[in-house]
Amino acid sequence: MSILHTDSLTKVYGDINHPIPAVQTVNLTVDEGEFLAIMGPSGSGKSTLLYLLGGLDKPSTGKVWLRDADLSALNDDGLSRLRRTEFGFVFQFFNLIPVLTAQENVAIPLILDGAPRRAALKQADEALARVGLADRSTHRPSELSGGEQQRVALARALVTTPAVILADEPTGNLDSRSGDEMAQMLRRAVDERKQTLVLVTHDPRIAAYADRIVFLKDGKIVDENRLKGQDRAEQIREQLTKMALS
Amino acid sequence: MTTQTHHFRATVWQMALMGQRYLSGRKLRTVLTTLAIVFGVALIFAVNLVLPSVTEAFEQSLSTASSADIRILNVTGGSFAPGEVLATIADIPHVQAVSGVLERTITLPTLADNNPLGDIVQIKLIGIDPAVAENIRPFPMSAGRFLAAGDQNAVVFAAGVTELAPELQVGTTFSLITATGLKTFTVIGFIDEQGSLSAPPMYMTLADAQSALNQPGLINTVEVNIDANADEDAVTKDIENALGSSFQSDTASSVMDSVGALGIAFSVLDLLGFLALFLGAFLIFNTFRTVVVERHHDLAMLRAVGATRRQITTMIMIESLLQGIVGTLIGLILGYLLALAYISFIGQFYHTYFAGITIELRLIPSAVVLASVLGIITALLAGYLPARSAGRASPLEALRPATTARVNHAARWSLIVGVVLMLLAVALLLSGSSGAVGGALLFLIGMLFAAPGLIIPVARLFGPLLTLWFAREGDLARGNLARQPGRAALTGSTLMIGLAVLILITATISAFDVLVTNLTNAAFSSDIVLIPQAIAIYDTVIGADDSLATRLRALPETQTVASLRSAATESNGQRLQVFGIDPGAYPRGASLEFNEGQPDTAFSALASGRNAILTPLARSALGLEFDSDFVLETVDGPQTYHIVGVASDVLSFKVNAIYISQDNLAADFHKTEDVLLYLRLNPGEDTAAALTDVQQITQDYPQFTAYLTSDYGGDLIAMTNNVLPLFYALAFLILFPAALGLLNTLTINTIERTREIGVVRAVGGTRGQIRRIVIAEALLLGIFSAAMGVVAGVAISYGFIGAFGIIGWKVSYTFPLLGIIAAVVIGVMLTLFTAILPARNAAKLDIIRALQYE
């Protein structure tokens, strides 16, 4: 069953004399419980597409549907509510609030949604435990390693049990071991909790964890792949090379 | 509790927690921003504590020790014949006893070192009728006896006076100034009560008081006792109705005029406090813009995970509120300390000139509330726009910077609006006094609007100058400013306002100085002047009857003696000093500067009929026109006077006062004492020798000190100049918030260009070159602010000085060259100084971390 669906989605930057198309007429469907990776060269519009899917940005034309909710019909407060309850975001650069502890950072979406503080912090502790950071809950981001910070960000994304997790280069700032751990945790979230995950990456090893990959070039979907077999990362590399040469 | 309420409280608490954490994470910035509120709150709080305390001290010094049920005074405060008044009151039902009193608080001159009156500087002379006084209240004696009918030159003190004059005891004789010269009095007893120590009461017979004050047969107060079960308010009303509108119960004394003058000075300080708060608001606004820029990632993230705009706005506003609260609390403490310091300083001043007044600082709730509300509201208002702007940004906008095209478009519109406002302002400034203040403020506002649009042209104009000093870095600096003209203009505007105010204050001080000097030189055309203990307001002065003037005229070297007499009254609800002059002699010994009317015509008109010359302040306060009539309250009822001139001298220009003839003063106010005397000598006389002769005479009238007029004029000018450093210091203090604003902006600029700085360093730029870029940018900003500040300062000083014409002060505008030079130098030096820290921080940035900065 489809959970995210786009209809001729387009985003153009710049003005009328110098338009810069970032996403062009993208029709994409993401099924519930699917792990979708979006790949492409730099400037292909991957992050833009992700932001449009999560309601962080408004399309120039076209629509985005979350189940049967048209995101373009929602006002800012409506989109904010969706981001609190239906979406979970993981960014490349962690984006933790430096003055809050790990626990408080994770609890933010719950508190913003009106949960009592004590209950929110308890849920945050549980989310931190799931990412293996139960003993670091009182530490501030500056006291955590890069990998730990990204795990806190992941816990924050998971704490509201969102329908869709959107991750923009979540391993881009991590070493390969931490990156693998992150990717495994994301995979577990999909498998164990049937959450949908849309992940933007340029790393074939990380994309190999996905059920499906869409390839973007110049803002358009140029290829799609449901990978099977052991050497998925290698297959992805070959596909990327072919795209680069074409 | 509803879910919505719970939701709101939970998020507010979370936002407050984050706000508090952010504030404590940036301690230096938090302190600096908080200080923006502190100064303004402190000044306003101090002013609103001190003035009521001083006022109260004056009121207490005038309040009598009497415990009469009701006290009746003439509305003018002047003296009147007792007969009919006492008889009328005695006939009122429930009135038990009536007693006529003549009393006045007088300032004592310094007599010999062994003067038994010791440290007493002011005394309340109370003349009573011993036969009836004890019907009003008992006078229990602790030593000696009370006054009896027929006593002459005998006095009774309250026992508390011995704290100030331990040598006083029963039988002590002492010299007391009177209108007829020094007289010797004997202490015959002490009343068993403390009495006021600021002006200890001294009782004598009514006849002695009438002689001492040159008020034969007159009283100025009626004390009334009523039946124990009578309604005091009702009886008071009955008395007032019976006596008519010329009398009222216990009116405030005209000494409040001197507090009124003090009030003007404090209003200026209040105004400076408001200005400081305004500049503080600018600083907070600037700081929170910094905060929003610095935290744009955090804010974007919060929006991304579902924070609404309102929640983001709330967070910034809570931070603003927290800073406002802390700043206000510190400001209140500092303000209290400032008030304490001022009271201890001014107490000595008042002890000299108003004597015996003890000023105690009280914590006045309304002052606390006023200062607190102003401080917190300023912080909230200043934080509102940045908070709203932060909330309005979409998550992605916060992650991406504003485009240059949008910024330049805004700056252009702002420039157009600003130029239009400035043109309107110039028209107002040139239109005359009434438009001057409005024109000045409008010009300032116009400059604030125009500033963003002027950044780039000014940067281009001064760029070559900058390149002389910063050959390689100047271009980079110019480009940096041009990239964010709004922010540069805002910072420059803060400094511009500070510099403009500095120029305004220096121009005003210079103009005032010139005014006082001119008035002083014009006023004293005599050779010798006899000055009492207090000038301008003479209510605590015992003058001299005509015996002094007669003795002065008898000196062979004297050509003319002119005198000034004084009373007080009100007109149209305004307190007025009434000066009586001899229209024939006065212009020969002194002179008035006329704003309207001609001296010859005006003076001769004073001699015939009820005509008056008003001081410009009185004319403005009463809203009267030259050559019109007005009603003056006299002792015997209202009288119509005609305005034949508007004029003043250096002693009266700051006072609501009128000049009438001495005959009219005697007839309408029963005052015949000379309180100021001018002597003109025959041509060629030896002034020093003449002064010696005069001083021999004034030994019998120690309430006067004789000066050569040239010396006294110089002393007056020097006295005015002594106050100037305080105003210059205040002018400099205004620059403090401006300096903080500069520091903030230069800090933001450095933060925003972290990656760019990393690139410059990575391609070979040295730390020194980075420092020089920041300093060059600061210097350009300083030059921009100084240029704008000079233009604004000249305009607003022209406006404000022109506005003095509204109250009739002929203050001519002098181009404030020194102020301008000072402003330019200070502006540039200040920006260089504040650039030191950001320059250092920029130079210290780690190259790799800078390159990775988002």
Side-chain angles (χ1 to χ4, degrees):
Chain A
M1 191 172 108
S2 134
I3 190 165
L4 266 179
H5 169 69
T6 72
D7 190 2
S8 300
L9 193 63
T10 303
K11 179 71 182 183
V12 179
Y13 292 110
D15 57 36
I16 202 159
N17 298 316
H18 305 97
I20 306 167
V23 170
Q24 298 187 67
T25 325
V26 166
N27 295 297
L28 177 70
T29 302
V30 184
D31 291 330
E32 201 167 347
E34 185 181 13
F35 183 159
L36 174 73
I38 301 175
M39 298 193 77
S42 188
S44 59
K46 309 186 291 294
S47 295
T48 306
L49 177 57
L50 194 77
Y51 295 153
L52 290 168
L53 288 175
L56 284 173
D57 201 359
K58 282 194 178 305
S60 304
T61 59
K63 289 185 189 296
V64 178
W65 301 82
L66 174 71
R67 297 194 192 91
D68 53 2
D70 174 9
L71 297 196
S72 62
L74 297 174
N75 62 13
D76 188 84
D77 276 2
L79 286 171
S80 299
R81 192 186 58 78
L82 265 192
R83 289 199 295 272
R84 286 198 299 271
T85 56
E86 302 286 353
F87 290 113
F89 289 92
V90 184
F91 298 101
Q92 180 177 359
F93 291 102
F94 325 136
N95 283 328
L96 300 178
I97 304 286
V99 296
L100 299 178
T101 62
Q103 184 196 39
E104 289 164 340
N105 264 289
V106 172
I108 278 181
L110 297 168
I111 290 172
L112 289 173
D113 201 41
R117 184 176 160 81
R118 207 172 281 183
L121 291 175
K122 189 161 174 283
Q123 259 183 276
D125 276 338
E126 289 163 8
L128 281 169
R130 283 208 296 278
V131 299
L133 287 177
D135 58 339
R136 308 285 271 162
S137 66
T138 58
H139 288 75
R140 291 205 181 177
S142 57
E143 296 163 342
L144 303 171
S145 69
E148 287 170 338
Q149 288 185 51
Q150 193 61 304
R151 281 194 272 162
V152 171
L154 177 60
R156 184 184 62 202
L158 296 176
V159 75
T160 57
T161 324
V164 182
I165 303 167
L166 300 168
D168 186 9
E169 304 272 12
T171 63
N173 224 31
L174 301 175
D175 58 76
S176 57
R177 196 176 127 232
S178 302
D180 280 331
E181 281 174 7
M182 175 62 53
Q184 286 163 19
M185 277 188 254
L186 288 166
R187 184 75 244 184
R188 267 205 302 278
V190 172
D191 294 337
E192 290 170 8
R193 292 172 173 259
K194 304 291 180 240
Q195 282 169 300
T196 308
L197 170 63
V198 180
L199 177 145
V200 164
T201 184
H202 65 275
D203 188 341
R205 285 183 316 111
I206 304 303
Y209 284 88
D211 298 320
R212 179 166 64 111
I213 304 173
V214 295
F215 294 90
L216 242 58
K217 188 175 179 182
D218 297 328
K220 294 180 185 154
I221 296 178
V222 295
D223 203 355
E224 198 178 301
N225 204 329
R226 285 186 189 277
L227 299 166
K228 292 186 180 357
Q230 293 288 335
D231 55 348
R232 291 175 177 201
E234 197 49 47
Q235 290 175 49
I236 294 165
R237 268 190 212 100
E238 281 172 16
Q239 198 143 4
L240 286 171
T241 308
K242 251 192 260 174
M243 268 176 63
L245 293 174
S246 68
Chain B
M1 198 189 306
T2 65
T3 309
Q4 249 179 331
T5 312
H6 193 87
H7 180 189
F8 180 71
R9 281 193 190 182
T11 47
V12 167
W13 172 248
Q14 182 65 26
M15 295 308 172
L17 181 71
M18 271 201 286
Q20 177 269 318
R21 299 268 182 94
Y22 273 118
L23 287 175
S24 45
R26 281 270 193 274
K27 288 192 178 58
L28 178 62
R29 156 125 17 92
T30 303
V31 165
L32 291 176
T33 312
T34 307
L35 281 177
I37 290 294
V38 167
F39 180 62
V41 167
L43 202 55
I44 290 171
F45 187 46
V47 164
N48 286 283
L49 278 185
V50 168
L51 186 58
S53 300
V54 171
T55 307
E56 206 173 281
F58 271 98
E59 283 173 346
Q60 278 174 6
S61 79
L62 299 167
S63 69
T64 182
S66 165
S67 57
D69 294 330
I70 301 169
R71 284 164 48 85
I72 299 295
L73 309 171
N74 189 275
V75 292
T76 67
S79 305
F80 49 90
E84 205 178 308
V85 174
L86 294 181
T88 304
I89 296 174
D91 280 342
I92 302 289
H94 301 297
V95 168
Q96 253 190 8
V98 184
S99 175
V101 176
L102 181 67
E103 61 183 31
R104 193 194 297 183
T105 300
I106 58 176
T107 304
L108 300 178
T110 310
L111 296 176
D113 283 341
N114 57 354
N115 175 23
L117 292 179
D119 287 335
I120 301 174
V121 182
Q122 269 193 342
I123 226 162
K124 188 166 187 129
L125 190 160
I126 306 174
I128 55 169
D129 181 351
V132 295
E134 287 187 285
N135 294 342
I136 299 297
R137 71 167 188 119
F139 290 93
M141 304 304 289
S142 60
R145 66 169 178 86
F146 192 59
L147 295 164
D151 276 339
Q152 280 189 334
N153 298 349
V155 299
V156 166
F157 283 103
V161 74
T162 53
E163 286 180 37
L164 300 172
E167 286 184 26
L168 283 177
Q169 43 185 294
V170 176
T172 305
T173 59
F174 62 91
S175 296
L176 185 70
I177 50 168
T178 74
T180 55
L182 273 178
K183 263 197 177 156
T184 303
F185 285 79
T186 306
V187 181
I188 64 166
F190 290 93
I191 303 168
D192 189 14
E193 60 191 33
Q194 179 70 10
S196 161
L197 290 184
S198 58
M202 179 180 71
Y203 295 88
M204 60 176 63
T205 63
L206 189 56
D208 276 344
Q210 288 165 341
S211 169
L213 299 177
N214 198 27
Q215 304 257 266
L218 300 176
I219 59 172
N220 61 12
T221 306
V222 180
E223 294 187 333
V224 183
N225 264 14
I226 61 176
D227 296 335
N229 57 357
D231 179 348
E232 190 178 300
D233 289 338
V235 176
T236 304
K237 219 174 168 66
D238 288 341
I239 293 173
E240 286 175 342
N241 288 341
L243 292 175
S245 59
S246 296
F247 291 87
Q248 64 190 26
S249 63
D250 204 40
T251 190
S253 165
S254 63
V255 173
M256 299 315 291
D257 285 334
S258 63
V259 180
L262 191 70
I264 295 173
F266 277 110
S267 296
V268 171
L269 286 174
D270 236 349
L271 198 63
L272 277 170
F274 280 104
L275 192 60
L277 267 184
F278 176 70
L279 288 174
F282 247 55
L283 174 68
I284 290 177
F285 174 70
N286 214 19
T287 301
F288 277 97
R289 275 173 60 130
T290 313
V291 156
V292 169
V293 164
E294 275 184 345
R295 282 192 240 158
H296 73 272
H297 265 127
D298 295 352
L299 297 174
M301 189 284 299
L302 283 171
R303 292 278 283 134
V305 299
T308 62
R309 288 173 176 169
R310 200 167 146 226
Q311 285 169 331
I312 299 293
T313 305
T314 304
M315 183 174 81
I316 306 291
M317 289 297 291
I318 287 175
E319 272 185 59
S320 180
L321 178 66
L322 284 173
Q323 295 215 269
I325 290 171
V326 172
T328 297
L329 284 172
I330 298 172
L332 289 175
I333 295 168
L334 182 65
Y336 189 76
L337 293 172
L338 270 176
L340 270 178
Y342 181 80
I343 292 286
S344 79
F345 163 72
I346 205 70
Q348 296 187 23
F349 170 79
Y350 275 110
H351 194 75
T352 308
Y353 289 101
F354 294 104
I357 286 188
T358 310
I359 305 173
E360 279 168 19
L361 195 64
R362 273 196 315 113
L363 199 58
I364 298 166
S366 60
V368 175
V369 169
L370 174 70
S372 303
V373 165
L374 283 173
I376 290 171
I377 286 182
T378 300
L380 285 174
L381 283 175
Y384 174 67
L385 282 179
R388 206 157 149 252
S389 155
R392 269 195 176 162
S394 80
L396 284 185
E397 273 180 43
L399 287 168
R400 291 170 191 159
T403 63
T404 311
R406 221 166 5 143
V407 167
N408 282 347
H409 185 67
R412 225 169 307 153
W413 270 111
S414 198
L415 176 63
I416 293 168
V417 169
V419 168
V420 167
L421 287 175
M422 283 196 283
L423 287 171
L424 280 171
V426 167
L428 270 175
L429 281 170
L430 296 174
S431 70
S433 304
S434 54
V437 174
L441 291 173
L442 195 61
F443 193 90
L444 197 62
I445 293 169
M447 287 216 84
L448 290 172
F449 270 98
L454 291 173
I455 284 279
I456 296 169
V458 170
R460 267 198 217 118
L461 183 66
F462 288 102
L465 188 69
L466 199 67
T467 319
L468 287 175
W469 204 355
F470 296 90
R472 283 170 270 188
E473 299 86 0
D475 276 341
L476 275 173
R478 256 207 326 268
N480 292 339
L481 272 189
R483 208 184 314 174
Q484 285 285 349
R487 186 189 311 135
L490 185 70
T491 311
S493 300
T494 317
L495 185 58
M496 173 191 85
I497 292 172
L499 294 175
V501 169
L502 177 66
I503 293 172
L504 167 66
I505 290 177
T506 54
T508 308
I509 289 170
S510 308
F512 221 76
D513 205 19
V514 166
L515 172 69
V516 170
T517 304
N518 287 346
L519 282 174
T520 305
N521 292 336
F524 297 114
S525 51
S526 59
D527 297 300
I528 291 173
V529 61
L530 277 72
I531 301 285
Q533 293 288 108
I535 53 172
I537 310 280
Y538 302 100
D539 301 318
T540 62
V541 167
I542 282 191
D545 66 2
D546 60 6
S547 62
L548 174 57
T550 304
R551 287 174 69 177
L552 292 171
R553 282 190 197 100
L555 289 172
E557 55 266 50
T558 303
Q559 186 190 75
T560 311
V561 175
S563 69
L564 185 83
R565 298 175 181 175
S566 172
T569 183
E570 56 180 56
S571 173
N572 207 21
Q574 293 272 349
R575 293 296 294 174
L576 286 179
Q577 291 289 302
V578 185
F579 296 139
I581 59 175
D582 176 348
Y586 196 82
R588 294 202 296 271
S591 73
L592 298 175
E593 278 289 292
F594 275 79
N595 289 27
E596 289 175 271
Q598 295 301 317
D600 290 345
T601 326
F603 282 122
S604 70
L606 285 192
S608 54
R610 286 199 162 82
N611 295 310
I613 296 170
L614 266 61
T615 62
L617 207 58
R619 177 196 162 308
S620 170
L622 294 169
L624 294 170
E625 294 299 324
F626 166 67
D627 202 22
S628 67
D629 291 343
F630 69 107
V631 175
L632 201 62
E633 280 297 334
T634 73
V635 171
D636 299 319
Q639 290 284 1
T640 301
Y641 272 75
H642 185 73
I643 301 171
V644 295
V646 179
S648 63
D649 62 17
V650 69
L651 298 178
S652 65
F653 82 102
K654 285 179 290 191
V655 178
N656 277 355
I658 64 173
Y659 292 88
I660 62 177
S661 69
Q662 288 179 345
D663 290 342
N664 280 337
L665 192 79
D668 288 343
F669 297 95
H670 306 160
K671 280 297 225 34
T672 53
E673 295 159 63
D674 293 331
V675 296
L676 190 69
L677 293 111
Y678 301 94
L679 251 86
R680 179 167 270 187
L681 302 176
N682 294 319
E685 291 288 351
D686 180 347
T687 50
L691 181 66
T692 308
D693 289 344
V694 170
Q695 285 169 338
Q696 284 228 309
I697 295 173
T698 57
Q699 281 179 6
D700 296 333
Y701 299 87
Q703 60 265 51
F704 291 100
T705 309
Y707 294 92
L708 288 179
T709 307
S710 53
D711 289 344
Y712 186 71
D715 284 350
L716 259 189
I717 294 169
M719 219 165 37
T720 313
N721 288 342
N722 284 344
V723 184
L724 299 183
L726 175 67
F727 283 95
Y728 282 121
L730 284 169
F732 281 99
L733 280 173
I734 292 292
L735 290 169
F736 180 67
L740 292 178
L742 270 172
L743 183 64
N744 258 342
T745 291
L746 295 172
T747 307
I748 306 175
N749 289 356
T750 313
I751 291 166
E752 278 202 320
R753 296 204 308 278
T754 300
R755 196 189 273 184
E756 183 185 313
I757 291 169
V759 168
V760 170
R761 292 276 282 126
V763 300
T766 64
R767 289 190 203 275
Q769 282 176 318
I770 298 296
R771 267 196 297 272
R772 285 165 67 84
I773 290 171
V774 176
I775 290 171
E777 192 181 323
L779 190 59
L780 203 50
L781 200 53
I783 293 170
F784 171 77
S785 308
M788 301 272 285
V790 164
V791 173
V794 168
I796 64 173
S797 61
Y798 184 83
F800 272 84
I801 287 169
F804 282 128
I806 297 172
I807 51 173
W809 290 354
K810 280 198 281 195
V811 184
S812 50
Y813 181 73
T814 312
F815 189 74
L817 182 62
L818 275 178
I820 288 169
I821 293 171
V824 170
V825 169
I826 288 166
V828 170
M829 297 306 298
L830 205 57
T831 41
L832 288 176
F833 180 71
T834 51
I836 294 172
L837 194 61
R840 207 169 129 255
N841 289 342
K844 271 167 56 178
L845 282 172
D846 177 80
I847 300 177
I848 302 298
R849 289 178 73 145
L851 287 172
Q852 288 174 342
Y853 183 81
E854 272 284 328

